[in-house]
Amino acid sequence: MKKILFTMMVLPLMITGCTHKEKTTEQAPADTISTPVDSVVTEEEEEGEGEFGGLNAIRFNHFTDEDWVDNEYIRSLRQYITDYNEGKIEDEALDAYKGKICGQFTVFSISPYIGGGALIYIVFLDNPDDIFTAWVYSSVDEKTETVLDYSVRSIKIEEEKSGLTKEDIQEIIKEHPENKLW
């Protein structure tokens, strides 16, 4: 199942870039979720809320193709990793990967996450074979329908490997400049 999911994520990146706007109902493994954050939304409540339901409708229904490749979820993830590498924050879950999460990364895939916010798959340029999954949550003001803030809830390494080299990633970015290094 993971191999199929990975293939479905990587091939579109190589062909059309990393925009990924499908509504997802997949849940991340249990060890990546610390607490439930969004309320359960019934089908009736989702009706009329655009492509995504619940609070993710507020978060993502206005997203354009450009927003999917350049947004605050990715910027927040970049800042979190930078802060971790500079010792400004601690994250015991990342300590085992400290040598692997340095430098720039590219986004393989990004999509709304059922727990709220975005699920982002990334690969570091200097460590291109390892794929990391990050959950970046955003608080939402339901009354004003605005996103208030962003927080990285988890980052974990995937078992599957990308099979890409640094040169492959650079070539993909050259061919698809909408994708970039963060």
Side-chain angles (χ1 to χ4, degrees):
M1 176 66 172
K2 285 185 177 183
K3 288 183 185 244
I4 294 170
L5 179 62
F6 174 71
T7 302
M8 291 171 32
M9 290 181 327
V10 173
L11 289 179
L13 169 71
M14 292 180 183
I15 296 169
T16 62
C18 72
T19 58
H20 182 75
K21 298 192 323 181
E22 68 188 45
K23 184 175 179 180
T24 181
T25 56
E26 177 185 357
Q27 292 185 348
D31 64 346
T32 64
I33 301 174
S34 56
T35 58
V37 288
D38 277 353
S39 59
V40 176
V41 179
T42 65
E43 287 182 30
E44 296 85 40
E45 291 171 323
E46 285 186 12
E47 280 187 47
E49 293 189 18
E51 185 174 358
F52 306 106
L55 297 180
N56 277 344
I58 296 170
R59 292 177 177 108
F60 301 111
N61 278 345
H62 69 281
F63 265 37
T64 64
D65 286 345
E66 293 80 24
D67 291 325
W68 284 106
V69 294
D70 188 348
N71 59 63
E72 287 302 317
Y73 294 94
I74 302 169
R75 280 192 257 316
S76 295
L77 177 58
R78 172 72 270 171
Q79 188 61 55
Y80 185 88
I81 292 169
T82 298
D83 288 349
Y84 171 78
N85 283 323
E86 292 177 354
K88 295 178 182 176
I89 59 171
E90 293 182 15
D91 186 334
E92 290 180 17
L94 290 181
D95 289 346
Y97 315 117
K98 187 153 181 100
K100 295 184 174 199
I101 60 169
C102 299
Q104 296 177 302
F105 66 79
T106 189
V107 175
F108 258 21
S109 176
I110 180 171
S111 61
Y113 181 60
I114 193 166
L119 191 62
I120 307 171
Y121 291 84
I122 62 172
V123 173
F124 287 88
L125 185 62
D126 292 330
N127 188 35
D129 206 28
D130 288 320
I131 302 168
F132 288 84
T133 306
W135 171 28
V136 181
Y137 182 74
S138 59
S139 300
V140 173
D141 183 326
E142 293 180 72
K143 290 181 183 176
T144 62
E145 295 191 355
T146 56
V147 176
L148 302 173
D149 58 15
Y150 301 84
S151 62
V152 175
R153 296 289 174 98
S154 69
I155 301 174
K156 70 178 202 89
I157 195 167
E158 293 294 318
E159 290 180 22
E160 300 297 324
K161 300 297 181 183
S162 75
L164 297 174
T165 65
K166 182 176 184 175
E167 292 77 22
D168 292 335
I169 293 172
Q170 290 170 327
E171 185 63 29
I172 291 168
I173 291 172
K174 183 178 176 184
E175 291 174 9
H176 299 281
E178 65 275 12
N179 299 312
K180 63 182 184 177
L181 292 172
W182 292 87

